[in-house]
Amino acid sequence: MTGPLGELNGGTLHTTDRHVGPGRSAAATASPNRYRELKIGDVAIGFPVVQAALSGYSDLPMRVIARRHGASYSVCEVMLDQFLLALGKRQKTKHFLDIHPDEHPVGGQLMGAEPEQFSLGALKLVEAGFDIIDINFGCPVKKVLGRCRGGFHLSQPKVAIEILQRTRDIVPAHIPVTVKMRRGIDDSAESRDAFFEILDGARDAGLAAATVHGRTVVQRYVGPSRWEFLSDVKSHVGESMKILGSGDLFSAADCLRMIDQTGIDGVTVARGAIGNPWIFQQARALAAGRPLPEPPTLFQQAAVMREHFALCEQTYGEARAPLLMRKFAIKYSQSHPQYETVRLSLVKLKTRADFEAALQLHYGNDGPGRMIPRDCHGSQEEK
């Protein structure tokens, strides 16, 4: 599936400061054939700016909206191996494995502690129809770490590599297996060595790609993502493995700068895509040498929010959809010039009528939207 802007025509973007917001002149520096189409194993992805797995967010509705706005690939929110093995067909939980017919290729992400149970959970994702199986060694949440999951595995290379090998062995050969990692538990030399030991183990086990977040587990989401580490990773594996980058991708220009500065094969947009599916269209335009598109108008924003709400109703049912849509609606409102006022209307959202009343009040008259200010994504200062 190609995005609404069609196939990538090539292009590049050069700048010396990766924290400068996108300007309308940015595309003037584009040159053809810089951004190679991404392929993971035998799965053709296409444009190398994709949607990351996001706990509590990257469900079917968000993934479908992203795909319709130019994302060439998306990954579902992470699922525990224990949860997958116990998952039945109850209406309240079956949506976790739902895949929309329009969203292939789509990745299923898995997290757990025990190698054997982990690999059996991967089979559940295969049976559900996910095109790629992604292993989460990157989650920095304390509760996850305390249960020896996610980023904790970066501290125990032997167990981590056993998980990678068992998962690759049990997943059918035609389905790629990938891994998500942070650059280490912390900034010690031991953490760096452990990272590259696991990365080498992933390559030796036959994994097709690794997504690397430029922060450590200890950092969580505080402080800048160190993109220079991604250059080291790509130099280390060469063409033997695809490397995707993550961290501080809040604009279309950020996405292209990360590729330009590090030489990696693609990027995965996480927080920058919540309530902002337009980031994928914008990245395609800049990569093709076109001007950065204007931010969506209020009518355009409202239309996408209604589309997202309808997908929520189809996925979760009419009773649950309004509460589940609330967190997305709040994020969408960041593109509104009166964000703070609009947000206050949406935090109380309980019914479809509430949703429509808020849209009528704040989006009833068309007008220009805005590019989401970087401070909406939180501080990126070192602490």
Side-chain angles (χ1 to χ4, degrees):
M1 171 193 265
T2 61
L5 298 178
E7 291 292 337
L8 174 66
N9 293 321
T12 192
L13 181 68
H14 299 288
T15 180
T16 57
D17 184 357
R18 68 179 174 87
H19 291 294
V20 174
R24 210 145 297 278
S25 62
T29 59
S31 61
N33 303 321
R34 169 63 183 87
Y35 303 104
R36 295 182 298 172
E37 291 197 350
L38 179 64
K39 188 175 183 182
I40 297 177
D42 290 331
V43 178
I45 302 297
F47 185 60
V49 177
V50 306
Q51 183 195 280
L54 285 153
S55 292
Y57 284 98
S58 59
D59 57 359
L60 182 149
M62 181 179 177
R63 298 193 310 263
V64 171
I65 292 293
R67 293 302 305 273
R68 290 175 179 173
H69 286 78
S72 53
Y73 172 65
S74 60
V75 186
C76 75
E77 53 187 316
V78 66
M79 286 180 266
L80 287 176
D81 51 6
Q82 291 177 343
F83 171 77
L84 284 169
L85 294 176
L87 189 62
K89 297 183 178 180
R90 292 194 307 138
Q91 187 65 31
K92 193 171 182 179
T93 56
K94 75 177 187 66
H95 67 269
F96 282 102
L97 295 179
D98 284 350
I99 298 173
H100 194 279
D102 293 343
E103 64 169 322
H104 291 285
V106 59
Q109 192 179 84
L110 184 64
M111 182 166 66
E114 298 296 330
E116 183 175 1
Q117 186 168 262
F118 203 109
S119 58
L120 293 174
L123 274 186
K124 284 281 190 176
L125 295 177
V126 171
E127 292 166 3
F130 289 98
D131 302 289
I132 295 173
I133 306 302
D134 190 48
I135 296 171
N136 184 312
F137 286 171
C139 182
V141 175
K142 288 183 179 179
K143 181 171 68 174
V144 170
L145 301 177
R147 294 175 180 171
C148 304
R149 299 168 177 156
F152 179 84
H153 289 298
L154 297 179
S155 69
Q156 48 176 10
K158 287 184 173 55
V159 175
I161 292 169
E162 183 181 355
I163 287 173
L164 297 174
Q165 187 66 66
R166 280 177 176 259
T167 303
R168 178 62 279 179
D169 288 345
I170 203 169
V171 170
H174 70 280
I175 296 179
V177 176
T178 61
V179 61
K180 168 70 182 290
M181 306 167 68
R182 284 183 169 238
R183 73 170 193 264
I185 290 291
D186 53 35
D187 277 321
S188 66
E190 292 79 9
S191 278
R192 183 183 175 91
D193 290 344
F195 174 93
F196 282 102
E197 183 179 348
I198 295 168
L199 184 66
D200 287 343
R203 179 175 54 185
D204 294 344
L207 268 67
T211 297
V212 181
H213 193 297
R215 292 188 180 88
T216 64
V217 173
V218 170
Q219 272 187 280
R220 300 189 68 190
Y221 300 101
V222 176
S225 175
R226 295 185 183 171
W227 292 6
E228 62 271 17
F229 182 76
L230 304 180
S231 300
D232 295 343
V233 174
K234 186 57 189 173
S235 296
H236 183 81
V237 300
E239 295 302 313
S240 66
M241 194 177 192
K242 294 294 193 298
I243 300 296
L244 285 75
S246 176
D248 289 357
L249 300 175
F250 299 123
S251 72
D254 291 338
C255 298
L256 302 188
R257 276 196 291 270
M258 180 180 273
I259 296 173
D260 283 342
Q261 291 186 5
T262 66
I264 56 177
D265 302 287
V267 298
T268 65
V269 187
R271 287 180 291 161
I274 304 174
N276 184 27
W278 300 280
I279 193 171
F280 300 106
Q281 289 178 331
Q282 292 162 0
R284 283 178 179 264
L286 289 183
R290 296 191 293 271
L292 181 71
E294 296 288 342
T297 67
L298 300 189
F299 276 4
Q300 290 170 334
Q301 292 174 43
V304 173
M305 291 167 73
R306 286 191 173 98
E307 184 182 5
H308 196 141
F309 195 105
L311 286 164
C312 278
E313 288 183 322
Q314 295 165 22
T315 303
Y316 303 108
E318 293 182 3
R320 296 181 65 204
L323 295 180
L324 293 168
M325 182 64 192
R326 181 192 295 164
K327 62 188 175 186
F328 289 104
I330 291 169
K331 291 292 188 179
Y332 278 113
S333 70
Q334 293 176 338
S335 294
H336 196 293
Q338 280 78 51
Y339 159 62
E340 291 293 347
T341 301
V342 179
R343 179 182 178 278
L344 290 176
S345 293
L346 295 168
V347 294
K348 303 172 184 177
L349 179 63
K350 293 181 180 178
T351 66
R352 176 177 261 283
D354 292 341
F355 175 72
E356 287 296 338
L359 290 192
Q360 184 58 40
L361 178 62
H362 299 293
Y363 298 85
N365 296 313
D366 202 8
R370 68 170 187 170
M371 291 295 184
I372 299 174
R374 191 169 294 273
D375 59 14
C376 283
H377 301 290
S379 172
Q380 300 306 313
E381 297 301 318
E382 286 278 14
K383 293 182 181 179

